[in-house]
Amino acid sequence: MASGYNSPSDYIEHHLKNLTHTFESGSSIHVDTVVNSLILGFITFGLLWLVSRKATAGVPGRLQACVELLVEFIDNQVKDIYHGSRNFVTPLAITVFVWVLVMNSVKLIPIDWLAIVTHSLGAPYWRPVPTTDLNTTAALSLSVIFLVIVFSIKAKGVGGYIHELFCTPFGGNPILWPFNFAFQLIELISKPLSLALRLYGNMFAGEVIFLLIGMLGAVGVGGVIAASLLHAGWAIFHILVVALQAFIFMMLTVVYLSMAKEHH
């Protein structure tokens, strides 16, 4: 456990608390989540924008080559799932994958290093990983489901979409309309829940394990060495988790958009 805390539970509770601003209306916002998400987004996509502006048709540099490989990889994944124009879906998939990947990757930085910086700036609490906040994963998921509804209406029309809500999968008999609608509603709600909870659960569990490893530093020199070795080992393993969760979120987004175009 790091110094300055009375018990392991105090250490964990402190690091799992968001910097929250409460408005007069009673609503509140997690300042650290919003600020971290925006900073990471501006830096990451600003870098990608600069790479695209400086791209050359000749032999690419290392950074341009990496970006081209990423774009080609994601476009191939989208091509296998989404049958139709990819002018919007591929950029969306790239945005989702890169942003979620970068937000997840902050977890690999030792948590007490970031705490030293944020405390020096006057923030008593600061959770650095946006995807360990359920508000972030829920907002991303709801955005995806909003697009699913838009794609459904675009492909089937308003009347066709309403018809699907009330006449699928059990048929168009008016007696079955409530059952069809309930079935469709459950399916629609399950999609953002699966997206949000899967990403949040994996990132939150990883954060707790990093905190447990960090508490070894209070044991002494041996604890610091053990914590360093365990942190390095868990971080190496967690690189796979970080990338895999971003990939799954991206793939499910594309799958749901592809399903939205299907006619029943």
Side-chain angles (χ1 to χ4, degrees), residues 80-99:
D80 292 337
I81 299 172
Y82 189 86
H83 304 292
S85 175
R86 304 190 304 278
N87 293 337
F88 176 81
V89 178
T90 294
L92 174 67
I94 295 171
T95 302
V96 169
F97 176 77
V98 173
W99 200 15

Side-chain angles (χ1 to χ4, degrees), residues 132-195:
T132 58
D133 187 347
L134 185 57
N135 293 286
T136 301
T137 60
L140 290 171
S141 302
L142 290 175
S143 299
V144 171
I145 297 309
F146 172 76
L147 289 175
V148 167
I149 295 174
V150 171
F151 270 55
S152 296
I153 294 175
K154 183 179 178 181
K156 306 160 190 172
V158 176
Y161 182 62
I162 294 176
H163 179 271
E164 182 177 277
L165 286 177
F166 288 94
C167 299
T168 305
F170 303 120
N173 191 315
I175 298 176
L176 299 175
W177 287 358
F179 302 100
N180 289 327
F181 181 74
F183 186 89
Q184 292 288 334
L185 189 62
I186 292 172
E187 181 182 357
L188 188 64
I189 294 175
S190 67
K191 290 176 180 177
L193 284 178
S194 65
L195 283 173

Side-chain angles (χ1 to χ4, degrees), residues 10-26:
D10 287 343
Y11 176 77
I12 294 177
E13 182 180 356
H14 179 272
H15 283 76
L16 293 180
K17 185 173 291 187
N18 289 97
L19 179 65
T20 304
H21 175 75
T22 303
F23 299 96
E24 294 182 359
S25 61

Side-chain angles (χ1 to χ4, degrees), residues 43-104:
I43 293 175
T44 303
F45 296 110
L47 178 61
L48 293 178
W49 178 77
L50 288 175
V51 172
S52 66
R53 288 293 300 269
K54 297 181 179 181
T56 61
V59 179
R62 293 181 179 179
L63 187 56
Q64 180 182 334
C66 290
V67 173
E68 289 178 353
L69 286 173
L70 173 67
V71 172
E72 183 179 0
F73 170 74
I74 294 180
D75 186 51
N76 287 334
Q77 301 301 316
V78 174
K79 187 188 303 182
D80 292 337
I81 299 172
Y82 189 86
H83 304 292
S85 175
R86 304 190 304 278
N87 293 337
F88 176 81
V89 178
T90 294
L92 174 67
I94 295 171
T95 302
V96 169
F97 176 77
V98 173
W99 200 15
V100 174
L101 177 64
V102 172
M103 289 192 290
N104 291 350

